[in-house]
Amino acid sequence: MNEAIRFDGVTAGYRRGSPVIHNIDLTVPKSDFLAVIGPNGGGKTTLLKVILGLITPWEGSAVVLGGSPEKTRCEIGYVPQLIPEKSFPITVKDVVLMGRLKDSGLFSRFTLRDRNIAEMNLERLDVGDLADLDMNSLSGGQKQRVLIARALAGNPKLLLLDEPVASVDHDTQKSFFNLLAELNSTMTILLVTHDVGAVSAHVKNIACINRTIISHGETLSSESVEKAYGCPFELISHGGIPHRVLGKGSKT
Amino acid sequence: MIDALGYTFMQNALIVSVLGSIACGIIGTLVTVNRMSAFAGSIAHASFGGLGLAYLAGFDPLLGATGVAVASAAGIAVISSRKRERTDTAMATMWATGMAAGLVFIKLSGTYSADLMSWLFGSLLAVSASDITFAIILDIVILLVITGLYKEFLSVSFDQEFSMLQGVPTSLIRGLFLILTALTAVLLMKITGLIMVIAMLSIPAAIALMFTGSLWKMMLLASILAALFNLAGLSLAWMLDLPPGAVIILIAAFAYVVSLIIERIRSETA
């Protein structure tokens, strides 16, 4: 079993009759680092929800880490999109400990081991000194690292990231992708973004999605992705979709 | 004021004020961080229907209010579980329907009692022994549930989707939260009246949020603030011969404005 994710003809959505993603075939090998790009409303979040087992495909089959998504999602580390204006009274340490909930029962406290794992992952992401701070006082890049530490605290085999660079500046993006490349040596990574300009040289494969998979694979090597920073629209084939829809900052 | 402590009704008022503050601070904190104050207002007003029914059918109004509060909380949960955008409409409908039904029942029952006014605007000086028992039981239940499931309440409030992926029974946690909110609203009706319950669940927690960085500290500070507002309001109302529920709310609102100014000054000097 060398596949992290295998989608065969997956169609899914929220309202019967209007699927958001249609007939998706997608195979992600283990230890891949895949960027899924596509316009807003193109089905990226829906794709993630199927992988996480939050919605069930209407047609086709989704196999994640060798099993059904509902059963294997405990082995997935999920990093949701940052909502910058969200204010909540919680310390950084408590956010990361959420990643240990699945191994901790109701009416029990986190163990010393849980706390050590949380601390270790904060340090791994260079935010160990922020552990006792209020989450609201952190910058976008620091919050992003905390959410990754939370995902890693569950010791995942697959890391999913939703729009991970949407609220961080360019320099932070660079160190962020270096970090992901390092993590990629021990786990499969899949990230989704609408921002082609944010896809880094560290990404191994790119899939382009707009309701269905438009292009995917090794046709884009690491070198060509690097070049894609300069002229991304010529390098990536998007079928009949207007290329502007993938431009930086585009909103639907 | 000191001589007033000799009266049983004043002792009862003080006891309920303090007991109510515990529920108010803990549940008010959860209501505030989950942005559910409209929900709390809705079930408080809906319970007026239960009060009317109790007067008409001749059973204990506390039972009527509690039953309808819990039922309307469940109703809102069911209506909004399918479609999130329906929540707002469900709450507004529940709010108005409860008040309307209450008025009709009361007209039919033929009683226009001062009792009714006390449910609307609070009856802190007329709390009974059964109100105190209700407050004690509710505080114990809330403390047990929140300390036992603290990490679950924290994570579901902060990030429900992630909690669900971690295997946390999010529906159970939300259900407990809604029921405890309904019961707390009924208890606070005794203090400030159902019209002003929404303020007691929001103001102490909102002030606490400005000065604390974690959920349990916020719960603790909100409880202390609620107790201070209740006791200060009760004393002032006694001395000036004013309705205690209204004075409590005015003191809380004044403290909120002062806190906003302090926070403003702090953020400008920081």
Side-chain angles (χ1 to χ4, degrees), chain A residues 147-175:
Chain A
L147 292 187
I148 296 172
R150 177 177 75 164
L152 295 179
N155 199 19
K157 291 179 181 153
L158 168 64
L159 190 63
L160 296 184
L161 304 102
D162 191 0
E163 298 285 0
V165 289
S167 54
V168 297
D169 60 65
H170 187 77
D171 285 341
T172 314
Q173 279 186 26
K174 231 168 139 181
S175 66

Side-chain angles (χ1 to χ4, degrees), chain B residues 54-193:
Chain B
Y55 280 108
L56 180 62
F59 58 89
D60 184 2
L62 185 64
L63 192 68
T66 310
V68 173
V70 172
S72 58
I76 293 168
V78 169
I79 294 168
S80 59
S81 67
R82 290 244 180 138
K83 257 198 174 159
R84 196 55 65 84
E85 55 265 42
R86 278 198 200 136
T87 314
D88 218 30
T89 318
M91 291 192 299
T93 309
M94 218 55 102
W95 185 307
T97 311
M99 291 301 283
L103 277 175
V104 169
F105 289 145
I106 283 155
K107 176 76 184 164
L108 290 176
S109 75
T111 54
Y112 182 82
S113 57
D115 276 15
L116 203 63
M117 290 295 279
S118 77
W119 281 101
L120 288 173
F121 299 106
S123 54
L124 197 43
L125 296 174
V127 294
S128 61
S130 66
D131 294 331
I132 293 177
T133 312
F134 179 69
I136 292 173
I137 294 172
L138 182 59
D139 278 345
I140 291 173
V141 170
I142 288 174
L143 286 169
L144 284 178
V145 169
I146 300 298
T147 50
L149 298 169
Y150 179 76
K151 62 189 193 322
E152 284 77 18
F153 272 93
L154 175 64
S155 72
V156 172
S157 300
F158 179 68
D159 188 342
Q160 188 170 347
E161 190 175 57
F162 189 89
S163 309
M164 197 183 149
L165 293 171
Q166 288 284 318
V168 175
T170 52
S171 302
L172 173 74
I173 299 294
R174 284 206 85 81
L176 281 171
F177 165 60
L178 297 181
I179 291 169
L180 291 177
T181 305
L183 295 175
T184 304
V186 173
L187 173 61
L188 294 179
M189 273 176 217
K190 281 280 162 188
I191 302 175
T192 64

Side-chain angles (χ1 to χ4, degrees), chain A residues 49 52 54 73 78 80 86 88-91 94-95 98-99 101-102 104-108 110 134 150, chain B residues 33 35 148-149 151-152 154-155 157-159 161-166 168-169 209 212-215 218:
Chain A
K49 286 191 173 176
L52 289 166
L54 291 172
R73 68 179 171 209
Y78 174 53
K86 187 168 177 167
F88 193 97
I90 189 168
T91 60
D94 283 339
V95 172
M98 282 178 70
L101 279 168
K102 66 177 182 200
S104 181
L106 300 174
F107 297 104
S108 68
F110 287 118
D134 187 349
R150 177 177 75 164
Chain B
V33 298
R35 289 161 210 254
L149 298 169
K151 62 189 193 322
E152 284 77 18
L154 175 64
S155 72
S157 300
F158 179 68
D159 188 342
E161 190 175 57
F162 189 89
S163 309
M164 197 183 149
L165 293 171
Q166 288 284 318
V168 175
L209 180 59
T212 49
S214 77
L215 200 66
M218 186 174 160

Side-chain angles (χ1 to χ4, degrees), chain A residues 176-190:
Chain A
F176 172 73
F177 274 102
N178 287 333
L179 168 74
L180 288 187
E182 197 187 305
L183 293 173
N184 187 219
S185 61
T186 53
M187 67 191 75
T188 315
I189 298 180
L190 186 154

Side-chain angles (χ1 to χ4, degrees), chain A residues 19-46:
Chain A
V20 181
I21 53 174
H22 181 71
N23 199 21
I24 298 251
D25 290 319
L26 180 69
T27 304
V28 182
K30 278 195 174 154
S31 61
D32 194 5
F33 186 168
L34 174 70
V36 177
I37 56 174
N40 287 318
K44 302 184 301 293
T45 303
T46 310

Side-chain angles (χ1 to χ4, degrees), chain A residues 179-226:
Chain A
L179 168 74
L180 288 187
E182 197 187 305
L183 293 173
N184 187 219
S185 61
T186 53
M187 67 191 75
T188 315
I189 298 180
L190 186 154
L191 69 86
V192 306
T193 177
H194 71 276
D195 187 355
V196 179
V199 174
S200 136
H202 294 300
V203 168
K204 288 177 183 162
N205 283 298
I206 296 185
C208 183
I209 180 178
N210 191 357
R211 297 195 63 235
T212 191
I213 298 286
I214 288 159
S215 72
H216 173 217
E218 298 143 21
T219 51
L220 279 178
S221 63
S222 289
E223 303 90 79
S224 55
V225 180
E226 203 171 336

Side-chain angles (χ1 to χ4, degrees), chain A residues 69-141:
Chain A
E70 292 84 4
K71 283 184 188 135
T72 56
R73 68 179 171 209
C74 56
E75 293 175 85
I76 300 176
Y78 174 53
V79 183
Q81 189 169 358
L82 263 188
I83 302 162
E85 67 275 16
K86 187 168 177 167
S87 129
F88 193 97
I90 189 168
T91 60
V92 167
K93 201 192 285 169
D94 283 339
V95 172
V96 180
L97 277 169
M98 282 178 70
R100 301 296 307 157
L101 279 168
K102 66 177 182 200
D103 297 324
S104 181
L106 300 174
F107 297 104
S108 68
R109 292 175 161 269
F110 287 118
T111 61
L112 188 63
R113 183 168 167 269
D114 291 326
R115 291 178 182 279
N116 286 339
I117 290 170
E119 207 172 301
M120 199 187 73
N121 280 294
L122 276 172
E123 268 157 28
R124 187 175 177 189
L125 290 165
D126 287 329
V127 281
D129 51 332
L130 307 178
D132 293 316
L133 292 184
D134 187 349
M135 189 73 177
N136 299 320
S137 62
L138 271 52
S139 70

